[in-house]
Every structure is written in C-alpha cells, then in structure tokens.
Amino acid sequence: MLRTPPTSQPRSMEELLPSELIARLDPLDLSSRKVFFGKLKGERRSKKRGQSVEFADHRPYVSGDDIRHIDWNIFGRLDRLFLKLFLEEEDLSLHVVIDASASSDCGEPGKFLFMQKAAMAMGYVGLTNLNRVAATAMGGLVGAPEAEEEEWRPVNVLHAIRDLRGRRRVHDLARWMVSLHAGGGFSFREAAERIALTRRGRGVMLVFSDFFFKEGYETGLKLLKGHGYDVFCIQVLSPQEVDPAGPNGLLGDLRLKDVEDGDLAEVTISAPLLKRYKANLSAYCEGLRAFCAQRDMQLITVRSDTPVETLILDYLRKRGVVK
Amino acid sequence: MTFLTPLLAGIAAAIAVPTLVILYFLKLRRRDVEISTTLLWRKAIEDLQANAPFQRLRRNILLILQLLALAATLFALAQPQMKALSLAGNKYVILIDRSASMGSLDEDDGRGGKQTRLEAAKKQATVLVDSLAEASVFGTTFGSESSDEAMVIAFDSSAEVRQTFTSDKRALKAAIEAVTPSEGPTSLEEAMRLARAHAPKKIIEDVRTDADGNVIRTDYPIEGITGGPPLSIHLWSDGRIPDADRSRPNVDDTFEFHPVGSPKGYNVGITGLRAERSFDDPEKLSVFVAVENNEPLERTVDVELVVEGASARLKTITLPAAISALPVPASGADDAAKPAAPAGSVTPGTGGVVFQLDRAGGALVQVNLRNPGSSDPPAGDVLAVDNRAWVVAPAARRLAVLAVAATPDLYIDNVLSSLNLSRLTQATPAQFNDMLRQGKAAEYDVVVLSKSLPAQDIAGLSSFGLPPGRFLILGAVPTGNAASGGSVPAAAAATETPAGSGAVTAGAAQGSGLIDSGPVKSQAIIDWTRSHPALRDVSLDGIVAVEGRKMLLAEGSQAQVLATADTGPAIVELSSADTRAIVCAFDPSDSTWTFKDSYVIFMVGALKYLGQDVAFGGLSRSIQPGSVLSDRLPSNATDVEVESPDGTREDVTPAPDGRIVFGPLARTGVYRVSWKGAAGTADQGASGGAARYYAANLLDPVESETIAVSKLDLADREVIAKAKAPAEASKRLWPYFILIALAFMLVEWFIFNRKVHV
C-alpha cells in the first residue's frame, strides 16, 4: 500500500535468487497444460513427430518417406510397410511479464521485489531446462542499480529481454532484472497489445501484477490470451492492501494519493470504511478470477510477504506451471 | 428542577459551544499518504456515501459526543436542584422528641432488626435536612442566594436547642446525630416556646430626619413578637405528648407531625412505686408497685423485689387486657376535666402489688418486671426503661419534735406526748432562736411553733421567713421577707380590701404569700378541704376561735388554703423545696377546737403529713428523669460528689446554705450524693462523710403507654401525621451531570480508538 522504502531494491543476482532457492529450483522443469510447437529442438514434447526416442505411432508408408523409419518388424509380420513415428521433443517458450509501474513499488515487503524474485526464479527454471525465456517489463524505469535515481530512464511502455536459452543466460536475466525499477505508469491495454504484437512462439506466460488498473484489466488480458499463450496471472498484493488496518497500515483522517496518477481520496479510517474496502477488494479479486477462468487463464493471488519458494514449489506446482 | 445559576451556564454555553464546533472543524487536517491505488478506496467511499445522512452523523459522532459532554458540563454549571418541599428561604424547626417512650424498640432499621424510635426519627430528620434548599455556590451574581434554615430542638420534659437557625446542613446533621435518648417524660410546650423564642424578632423600622436633614434609620426589634417568614415546624415523636393541647404555634406557622413508632408497640411498665413505713410500727416497710399493660391481651408478669441488690420477693400478677378507647365525642364536664385522650389511645390494664418487708434499716429497693418464670424482661415489650424502678427507703425512725411556746401549752403538749415520738423537746422562742443560730434545730423533724415565729435576723431563712424544715405554726402568720420583727405582726404594706375575702396587694408576694392583718376576734371556720392528709376524716364544723390573727393571701400566693374562716383563710399550707409549714391563724387553745376529737386527729395528721417524707417515705428522693436533682445538704458539707447510675462521678459545689443542684437527670436509676461532713437525720453516715440516695424513675403512665398515635391535638389545630417518608430530598444534581459528561467522554474515547484500530 505505502511506497516501499528504496533500500529494498535488489542490487545483485544473489539478492534476487539466493543459492538455497537455486538448490530447490534445480529439480524443477516448466510444464504447460497445453502442448505447443517449439522452435528449436528442446526437451519439451512437441506436437511434431520427430526424432526422439519416444515412440508415438505408426502410419502407412507413402513414397518419399524416410526409409530409415520403416518398422521392419511389422513388415515381416504383415508384409506391409509402416512407418514408426517418434515424438519430437522441442523447447518451450516462457514469457515473464512484470508490472513495473509505481503501484508495484508499494507495500512492506515490497510487491515489486517479490515480483522480481518470483520472475527471476521462474526464469531460472526455464533457462536451466533449455527453454526459451523472455521477460518483459510493463512501465517502470531502467538504470544501473548503482546509478542515482535521477539517471534512471523511464520505459516506454515495454522493456524486454528475449530469446534467452540455457543456463549461461541466467546472469543476463539477472542483470536485466536488477536494472529494472518500478515507477511511473502505463496503460495495460497498450502494453498487452504490444506484447501480443512482438510475441515469439508459443508457451507459458506469467503475468506478475496487482491488476489494479483503473482502465480495467479485461481488454489487456484478452489481448494477452488471444495469441495462444498459456497465461498465468499472478496477482501480488501487499499485506497492507489486504488488511489496511494491520501493521504499518492506515490510521486516522487521511488524504490518500494515488502514486501513479496522483488521484486524491479523503478518507477517515473507520470500521465500516475498512469493512467496505475489504468487501470491495475481495469482490475485485473474485471478478478477476472469474474473468480469467472464463478465458482459460489461471489466477493466483499471493501476498507479497509469501516466500518465493512457497509460490513456486507450492502454488505454481499445484497448478502445473512447474513439475 | 430549578437552576441556581442559569445565567452563568448560559454565558459559558455561549462561549464554549461555538468554540468546540470551530475547533472540531479546524482540527480536521488530513495526513497525506501515498498508496498504490485509490481504486478500491474510491469505490468504498462511494459505497459509504450511498447512505449519506446516517454516515454524516456517524462521521460526526465524535463532535456530537463532545457536544453532549459539554452540555452536561454546562448543566452542571447551572447547578440544577430537584426541589420537593417548598420554596427557598424557609425556616424549619426540627423538634425531636427524645423522651423515654422514644426509646421503644419497635422501628425496623431496614436490615431486619429493630431500632429505637429516636433512631428512626433522627434518620427521618436527616432526610429533611438533606432536602433543604441550598444557596448557590456561585453567590448572588449569577443565581439565588436564599437558602432554607433550620434549627434543631430536642425535648423531653425540658427542651434544649441543639442548633440555632442555620443553613449549614453539616451542623444540622451533627446536631441531630448528637441527640441522645433521655428517660424522662414528654412536654412539648417548652420546646414550642423555645422555637418561638429563636424565631427572628419583629423589627420596626424607624425613619427620622434629623436637624441637618439626614435620614436616620433605626431598627427596633420587638421582643415577644416574631417576624420574618412563618416557621415550618416539624415534630418527630410517637405522639405521646400529654401537653400537646397547650402548645400553640403561630397562626402562620405550619406544623407537621412525623410519627415514629408502631401502633402495636405493646408494653408493660411500672407506673407507680412507693415505699411506706407504718407510722406506728416503722420497722414494717410496705412497697407499693403499680403496673400497666397496654396490650389488648391479658398478660402475666413476675414482679421481682430486689433489696440492696439481693432478690427478696417475687410475685406474679396478671394484668387485664387494655381496652381500646373508642373515639367518643366529648360530652359534659367529666370529659373536660381529664385531658382529651389522643386518637388510638387505649385504657391500659392496670394492676398492683404490695410487698411487705420487715426492715428497720434504710434500703435501696429495686423492682423489676420479668417474664414469668425467667429472668428475662417481659416478652414483646418495646420499652425497657419502665421495667425497672427504684425506691430509696430510709431507715425506720420516729419523729423528733420540738415544741416552741412562750408558756407551755397544755393542749399541744398533751397531744405530742401521747404520740410515739423519738424525741420531744420543749423550748421558749428565745431558746429556739438560739438553737437556730447554732444549727441545732435541724435535729428535729418537725417544729411546732405556738404563737411565735423565728427571729428574722437569722441567716438562711427562706422567703417564708422560716428556716428549712417542717413547721406547724399555730396562732402566728409567717409573712416572710416582707415582714419584720419576729413574732410581731407586720405592718402590712398591703392595702386591705373591705371584704374579708383574700386581699390583693402588691409587694407581699415575694414573701410567704401570706399577709398578717393584725389580731381578729371571733373567727368561725366555714369551709375546709377534706382531701388533705392533715384534715382527712376531720370535721371543723362549728369551730370558733376567740382570738387569732387575720390572715390574707397576697396576689400570686402559692399558699394552699386548707380551711377558710369568715374572716379569710384560717389554715394554709406553705411549701417550697426545703420548707413546709402548716399555718393555723389561731391557736387551738384559744378556740373551741380543743374540745373536739377533730383537734387531736388534725394534730396527728398534720405532724404525720409534715414528717412523712422525712421519715416515712421516699417521695422527696424520687425524681423523674428530665428534672433537676435539687436538695439541701447539711450546710458544712464539702467535696460533694454525685454518682450517676452509669458510674460516672461529678463534683458539685454546694451553695453556702448546703443546697445542691444537679442535672437535669437523663437516666433512670439510683443517684448517690456523697459528701464530707455531718450526716443529716436520714442520711447514711460513713467515716467523716455521708451519702444520700435518690431514685430516678420514669413512673409515667403516659410514657409507658407506648402505642404510637398518628394524630396530635394542638391548642389551635389538629395535626394528622404525614406519610411515613417525610420528603423527597432536594438533591444537588450537578455532580450527576459531571458524571454524565465523564461518561460521554469515555464513550468518545472508546469510539475514537475503535475508529482507528479496526
């Protein structure tokens, strides 16, 4: 809820991805509820029949087929030519989208830090399993973490790093991640449009955001979904957003200022107001969940004080994002 | 409800309320907080504003609570009072009966036990004090100053101002609390007089202009006429007031009677006790006990006689049931003679016991009423004071008589010598005067003076012109201070009236009340009092005195005429506390009386009567509580000490003539007066000292009649008892408003906290 103190900005990969977490992530691999066509040979089952060791099917031989794949055992038994088909293993595309607007930079612990850590962890899982990983920031600022805040450059809608493959690129991803800072605002619809236009391949898309968009999340999510991604929405809320009266929460007569658009709301924190706020919040989340469910997307709502490994090893594994 | 300082509260409200409202709106400076999004908050605010009127109220609930707290404080500042009784500035007189019957234990104390009527009366009177209007604490500037005033008078047979008119409730309550029960009879008259005496005097304002043209105002208070507001007299009593019909409050005064006690306050009590010795056989002591029962049931009680601390006799008597006196309309002279019976009164069942004792020595006799067969007091008896009584029976002794005559009088000597006397001495007037000067005359119980009077230059003569003692004076008229010159008839300053009836003069009343108008020849007795002990069973018919003195009564004379001759009173009785004399205007030897039986009967009767309370009874040593112990000790008595029944000792300084005054006595019981010096004829002598005993007994049928009444007949009105609860108290309400303000503040604090945290 409140703006996160700047000290929580990560400065190195170790902060984003501690070694203990790496040890727990190593056995994991990405999965998708859907099987997509890949681009390169990878470790992922593809829709294509190909040259893996795993048998898939037989089909009658037609002229022009590679005779190396004729199943001679069947020819001997039936005296007809059948071709042995094998499953092709291809790579999977993982697209991590982070909401880097100023609203993410709120809460204690900060939502943006949580998103960075979770995105980094998922990117690590994807990279170590020879998947194609792309990461896109919506809004936000870019600059070396050592540099002064004034030198950070605002992102024009999107800031992305693409086509990362292999364990070696983990550091590239981490560097990209630490150079990213939350700030400013963006239009979710416009950002989703651009992501949809610049997308490469198909695969799993993880969208980290609080999904508090005044313009509405519907159009943006439709655009993201519309291009064949298996979309997982991870709604990150700070504990203060879930319970404003809790620790580090709101007290007394206040003038609330929206960090993105500077909108002002005068409130006197009272029990009925808090009750109403909570009802609104749960209604909003429920609406988001229903929207996602209708469009074959999955929504996971987490608090920013949830440990990242709990998110990945528990929530995401249950939902089949990792295995 | 009235407000003592409404103006002050109004001014304070005019300042405080706008200030609070302005401060409330000023204080709403909101803190800026940056949050991730106002999306949900906006929606929440919009939702809340949907039911705006209620929400506005809710938002301002702190302001409303603050305003309420302020309002309560302002109300408190206005000093509201709940008034129930009357307007401010009244004068109340609180009369509290503390007589013996008020000691009856028949009032519920609210805790299941019993309390005395006096305790109940004190509590009710305290409630009245609480209800008095008080002056504003802020003075006259903003409110009313006048406050009720009250005075407290406690009375039994005498009245005592415990607190003069004041508005100090604490002093009034302390005065009420300090009223102690007495064991005496009741008399309202003196209390009413005291109340009137303390009322403010009527003041006449005299406005004059002096020579310089200055206006001089002088206020003259007029004694005897009361001014100011009428008094509101409140009486707490059980209604057993025999002289209520002699009490006359002013016409404007209100009189309220708050009865205490139960109409079922049943009691058995001793109403009479007397010890007598037989004249002929003084060693025989008779004790007469009269007992009354006011319960409408027959009762049996044991009467125990305790002589010198040891139980001597026990007799059981059955008392008849009391008969309720129906309110019969007064008819004729018979009813007028006796005091009008108060409503609800009963005619008690009476009974008596006589104990015969053979006891020559003096004795302290106590009589107790007991429940039959036990040593407890009678069951269900509300009043304990009248269950015991004492009588001091002096030692049996015969009379010592001194006969004083210029020449031995045959008729007197013969009569005296035939009586069973311990001592009979003849003396001439000169010898008698010498004996008086030497103090030896006090050895004789009765002195018979024949045609002689004591010399008037002797110290210590009473106003009768006689020394203390008992005298039978024949053929001489003691005129007291007004007279001069021994037995010589005084040249009375009185102007004689032509008729032979009682002459009226001024100046003589200071003396004996008798006027000696010189010698008279031939007076015939025409009327006499048959009921007097000295003349009982005597006929004075046809007695003519050849020589004698013409005796007249001065105006206001206290002398009691026993026989009247054609020239005026012939035989009178003079009595004061220490002197008693029967005066016969003629010497019987100069009349035809000596030839009749009645002469001897008169002489014996007169001697017996005069000597009785010296030797034969204890009447003079019996005092009712509430009256003063007054007696004469031998004139050389020193270190006089009075020991009360409760064992406290008090020193009393006797007057030069040996007179002591102690009291008024509050308790029943035996009072012992001891001194150093010679003992009197009937005193107990000890080594170098002597002691005399006095018995204080209630012995009052009115007090023993403990059934409480609810109606009081005053001289000019009939007062019906007020309802039991005397009045709603006038309470200062401002502390409650302060409490309410505090409560509002607490609620505000609670809501404020609640608002912030959840």
Side-chain angles (χ1 to χ4, degrees):
Chain A
M1 173 116 349
L2 305 172
R3 197 185 266 278
T4 309
T7 47
S8 67
Q9 293 280 345
R11 287 172 176 271
S12 68
M13 177 177 150
E14 177 63 22
E15 283 178 48
L16 282 175
L17 198 59
S19 346
E20 313 88 71
L21 183 57
I22 291 177
R24 306 202 59 187
L25 293 175
D26 274 338
L28 295 178
D29 191 6
L30 284 179
S31 86
S32 169
R33 293 168 300 162
K34 301 165 184 174
V35 178
F36 297 116
F37 288 103
K39 271 192 160 175
L40 298 170
K41 293 248 182 256
E43 294 182 340
R44 187 113 356 242
R45 202 171 56 162
S46 170
K47 278 186 173 177
K48 296 175 186 168
R49 301 288 180 260
Q51 296 180 344
S52 74
V53 290
E54 202 170 340
F55 171 78
D57 204 356
H58 288 99
R59 72 166 165 84
Y61 173 79
V62 289
S63 59
D65 283 340
D66 193 344
I67 55 165
R68 285 180 296 182
H69 294 144
I70 291 174
D71 191 338
W72 297 109
N73 290 334
I74 292 187
F75 178 76
R77 223 183 289 159
L78 301 174
D79 203 14
R80 288 174 65 180
L81 288 172
F82 278 94
L83 225 57
K84 243 179 7 181
L85 297 180
F86 294 92
L87 291 178
E88 176 76 331
E89 287 191 332
E90 286 188 329
D91 61 351
L92 188 63
S93 176
L94 172 68
H95 198 161
V96 180
V97 179
I98 296 179
D99 175 357
S101 67
S103 71
S104 299
D105 196 18
C106 292
E108 181 64 46
K111 291 194 284 184
F112 189 62
L113 179 64
F114 180 83
M115 291 182 197
Q116 282 176 305
K117 283 180 173 175
M120 188 65 214
M122 285 308 293
Y124 177 82
V125 170
L127 289 174
T128 50
N129 290 291
L130 294 174
N131 290 309
R132 221 158 1 97
V133 173
T136 306
M138 301 186 288
L141 305 166
V142 175
E146 303 84 24
E148 291 295 316
E149 211 167 314
E150 289 75 32
E151 295 173 21
W152 292 344
R153 171 174 59 80
V155 170
N156 182 21
V157 187
L158 291 182
H159 175 63
I161 179 168
R162 292 197 180 87
D163 295 334
L164 301 177
R165 230 171 114 88
R167 192 181 277 271
R168 284 170 304 161
R169 307 303 297 275
V170 169
H171 287 282
D172 293 341
L173 181 63
R175 234 185 334 270
W176 180 84
M177 202 66 86
V178 294
S179 72
L180 192 64
H181 312 286
F186 67 94
S187 158
F188 183 54
R189 197 188 61 80
E190 190 184 350
E193 221 170 58
R194 293 219 192 165
I195 289 170
L197 286 173
T198 57
R199 127 204 108 76
R200 305 252 178 93
R202 300 179 177 205
V204 176
M205 179 181 278
L206 296 175
V207 184
F208 290 94
S209 176
D210 50 16
F211 293 99
F212 290 146
F213 303 118
K214 286 195 174 156
E215 55 189 325
Y217 50 78
E218 291 87 353
T219 324
L221 284 180
K222 265 190 247 173
L223 285 166
L224 289 181
K225 173 64 192 169
H227 294 88
Y229 273 101
D230 192 3
V231 179
F232 285 85
C233 297
I234 298 165
Q235 188 186 22
V236 182
L237 298 178
S238 69
Q240 291 78 24
E241 281 167 335
V242 176
D243 182 11
N248 303 319
L250 299 173
L251 285 178
D253 295 310
L254 299 174
R255 193 162 62 180
L256 302 177
K257 188 181 176 192
D258 194 314
V259 286
E260 287 182 24
D261 56 9
D263 179 42
L264 292 173
E266 290 194 345
V267 293
T268 300
I269 305 298
S270 65
L273 183 68
L274 290 174
K275 202 174 147 196
R276 179 63 59 185
Y277 171 84
K278 284 182 181 172
N280 283 343
L281 177 66
S282 61
Y284 190 85
C285 294
E286 204 47 53
L288 180 61
R289 186 183 312 283
F291 181 83
C292 291
Q294 280 169 12
R295 282 162 185 78
D296 202 15
M297 292 185 271
Q298 288 225 30
L299 177 75
I300 300 166
T301 303
V302 288
R303 280 164 59 130
S304 64
D305 56 354
T306 315
V308 174
E309 51 262 51
T310 309
L311 169 71
I312 294 170
L313 298 175
D314 194 354
Y315 298 171
L316 291 180
R317 186 186 260 170
K318 270 185 196 161
R319 286 166 175 79
V321 181
V322 291
K323 61 182 180 185
Chain B
M1 192 160 67
T2 54
F3 295 95
L4 292 181
T5 49
L7 185 61
L8 180 65
I11 292 169
I15 297 166
V17 174
T19 311
L20 175 68
V21 174
I22 288 166
L23 281 177
Y24 182 81
F25 285 115
L26 282 182
K27 83 158 186 187
L28 249 188
R29 183 171 289 173
R30 293 177 188 274
R31 192 156 53 92
D32 279 352
V33 176
E34 284 193 324
I35 56 160
S36 53
T37 181
T38 53
L39 180 72
L40 295 172
W41 288 109
R42 277 226 165 273
K43 204 160 147 35
I45 294 165
E46 280 163 15
D47 286 349
L48 281 181
Q49 277 169 351
N51 25 9
F54 177 68
Q55 285 312 319
R56 191 167 297 146
L57 192 74
R58 186 168 190 113
R59 191 149 30 132
N60 293 335
I61 194 153
L62 293 183
L63 174 64
I64 290 163
L65 284 170
Q66 283 167 8
L67 283 173
L68 284 173
L70 185 65
T73 315
L74 291 171
F75 261 99
L77 200 60
Q79 297 191 69
Q81 266 197 353
M82 286 289 271
K83 296 258 303 148
L85 275 183
S86 56
L87 296 169
N90 279 1
K91 286 198 180 288
Y92 290 86
V93 177
I94 296 168
L95 298 175
I96 296 178
D97 181 358
R98 57 163 177 164
S99 64
S101 58
M102 291 292 281
S104 300
L105 265 177
D106 62 347
E107 278 279 340
D108 289 334
D109 62 357
R111 295 189 298 271
K114 293 284 184 192
Q115 61 180 349
T116 64
R117 294 174 180 180
L118 182 65
E119 291 299 322
K122 279 156 74 171
K123 278 180 193 157
Q124 292 178 21
T126 310
V127 173
L128 175 79
V129 169
D130 277 330
S131 74
L132 298 183
E134 280 183 51
S136 143
V137 291
F138 296 109
T140 45
T141 319
F142 298 105
S144 66
E145 175 93 62
S146 61
S147 59
D148 291 348
E149 290 191 339
M151 77 181 294
V152 179
I153 295 177
F155 69 97
D156 45 7
S157 59
S158 59
E160 196 180 338
V161 175
R162 286 308 184 102
Q163 175 66 53
T164 50
F165 278 115
T166 179
S167 55
D168 183 353
K169 291 188 176 185
R170 208 174 306 170
L172 288 168
K173 282 186 199 171
I176 290 169
E177 205 43 55
V179 173
T180 50
S182 104
E183 294 176 349
T186 320
S187 165
L188 180 62
E189 204 182 354
E190 190 180 335
M192 295 292 290
R193 269 209 303 273
L194 262 183
R196 291 309 321 169
H198 280 81
K201 302 279 180 297
K202 181 111 182 155
I203 291 174
I204 285 188
E205 192 184 44
D206 183 22
V207 185
R208 251 181 280 180
T209 312
D210 65 3
D212 302 335
N214 299 322
V215 176
I216 302 170
R217 289 174 187 274
T218 322
D219 291 343
Y220 294 105
I222 303 177
E223 289 293 332
I225 303 177
T226 52
L231 300 181
S232 179
I233 302 171
H234 289 256
L235 168 68
W236 275 271
S237 172
D238 52 9
R240 291 290 161 198
I241 302 173
D243 65 345
D245 55 344
R246 290 206 297 274
S247 304
R248 183 189 295 274
N250 268 15
V251 181
D252 294 339
D253 295 349
T254 56
F255 191 97
E256 283 185 24
F257 171 42
H258 305 273
V260 288
S262 153
K264 286 188 164 44
Y266 297 132
N267 182 40
V268 176
I270 301 171
T271 54
L273 174 65
R274 206 154 63 90
E276 268 193 15
R277 289 187 184 279
S278 161
F279 185 79
D280 294 327
D281 187 359
E283 296 196 351
K284 277 203 161 47
L285 179 68
S286 304
V287 178
F288 302 91
V289 185
V291 186
E292 279 189 7
N293 167 37
N294 67 1
E295 194 174 354
L297 289 172
E298 202 173 73
R299 272 199 85 134
T300 304
V301 288
D302 280 356
V303 184
E304 182 194 31
L305 187 77
V306 180
V307 179
E308 295 291 343
S311 186
R313 296 274 203 288
L314 188 71
K315 280 193 181 177
T316 304
I317 58 165
T318 301
L319 299 165
I323 303 155
S324 292
L326 293 172
V328 179
S331 61
D334 285 354
D335 290 48
K338 60 180 183 185
S345 78
V346 296
T347 306
T350 54
V353 183
V354 181
F355 293 98
Q356 300 282 356
L357 294 170
D358 283 327
R359 191 174 177 95
L364 190 58
V365 177
Q366 186 184 351
V367 177
N368 295 326
L369 292 188
R370 299 210 177 287
N371 217 20
S374 79
S375 57
D376 302 327
D381 190 77
V382 293
L383 188 58
V385 182
D386 60 0
N387 293 339
R388 292 172 304 162
W390 294 263
V391 66
V392 180
R397 46 189 299 279
R398 288 167 292 171
L399 284 179
V401 176
L402 177 67
V404 180
T407 53
D409 188 318
L410 177 69
Y411 299 104
I412 295 170
D413 291 348
N414 274 341
V415 170
L416 293 179
S417 58
S418 69
L419 290 171
N420 183 13
L421 300 176
S422 67
R423 198 165 159 202
L424 175 63
T425 310
Q426 312 277 356
T428 61
Q431 287 169 328
F432 175 56
N433 286 336
D434 287 343
M435 289 166 85
L436 281 178
R437 289 190 183 95
Q438 292 158 15
K440 285 184 184 167
E443 293 171 10
Y444 297 93
D445 298 319
V446 182
V447 178
V448 180
L449 290 165
S450 177
K451 291 187 189 167
S452 62
L453 287 171
Q456 294 300 302
D457 56 348
I458 292 167
L461 293 189
S462 71
S463 60
F464 297 162
L466 297 171
R470 321 283 149 173
F471 299 93
L472 178 59
I473 302 170
L474 304 169
V477 178
T479 53
N481 299 348
S484 62
S487 61
V488 179
T495 325
E496 202 175 322
T497 48
S501 60
V504 177
T505 56
Q510 289 176 355
S512 63
L514 301 178
I515 297 161
D516 188 353
S517 323
V520 66
K521 302 270 184 195
S522 167
Q523 50 183 330
I525 291 182
I526 52 177
D527 185 28
W528 63 96
T529 310
R530 286 160 182 84
S531 59
H532 193 270
L535 292 176
R536 203 170 283 155
D537 306 324
V538 166
S539 166
L540 303 184
D541 207 9
I543 292 171
V544 178
V546 181
E547 279 180 30
R549 313 293 302 183
K550 183 173 179 182
M551 184 161 63
L552 296 172
L553 293 183
E555 186 186 20
S557 170
Q558 298 292 315
Q560 185 190 358
V561 178
L562 304 184
T564 314
D566 50 357
T567 56
I571 305 176
V572 297
E573 183 191 344
L574 295 173
S575 85
S576 70
D578 50 4
T579 307
R580 181 172 290 170
I582 291 178
V583 180
C584 186
F586 56 90
D587 192 330
S589 56
D590 297 333
S591 73
T592 60
W593 199 7
T594 49
F595 302 111
K596 302 198 176 205
D597 300 346
S598 61
Y599 166 66
V600 180
I601 298 170
F602 165 75
M603 286 296 280
V604 173
L607 281 176
K608 220 169 140 179
Y609 169 70
L610 288 170
Q612 66 174 0
D613 46 353
V614 178
F616 303 120
L619 268 184
S620 67
R621 305 276 169 82
S622 183
I623 307 161
Q624 237 184 2
S627 45
V628 175
L629 191 164
S630 167
D631 201 1
R632 192 161 201 156
L633 303 180
S635 52
N636 56 358
T638 54
D639 295 344
V640 180
E641 196 177 62
V642 180
E643 188 180 338
S644 298
D646 55 4
T648 56
R649 289 158 182 272
E650 258 182 82
D651 289 332
V652 177
T653 309
D657 61 352
R659 177 174 293 282
I660 57 159
V661 175
F662 178 76
L665 308 180
R667 305 255 151 248
T668 58
V670 177
Y671 289 78
R672 178 178 185 269
V673 178
S674 57
W675 66 91
K676 287 206 174 84
T681 51
D683 297 330
Q684 288 188 354
S687 54
R692 201 176 278 183
Y693 291 89
Y694 300 86
N697 296 317
L698 180 60
L699 300 186
D700 187 334
V702 177
E703 291 298 321
S704 293
E705 167 68 79
T706 48
I707 292 174
V709 298
S710 56
K711 199 180 82 174
L712 207 58
D713 287 312
L714 299 185
D716 59 342
R717 64 186 94 171
E718 186 177 83
V719 182
I720 308 290
K722 286 206 62 161
K724 201 79 177 176
E728 206 178 317
S730 127
K731 279 193 171 163
R732 299 213 138 187
L733 296 176
W734 63 264
Y736 297 94
F737 280 99
I738 293 287
L739 283 179
I740 291 169
L742 199 63
F744 278 132
M745 280 175 177
L746 283 174
V747 172
E748 196 220 355
W749 182 79
F750 175 74
I751 288 179
F752 178 76
N753 276 314
R754 202 165 149 269
K755 234 176 156 171
V756 166
H757 284 311
V758 175

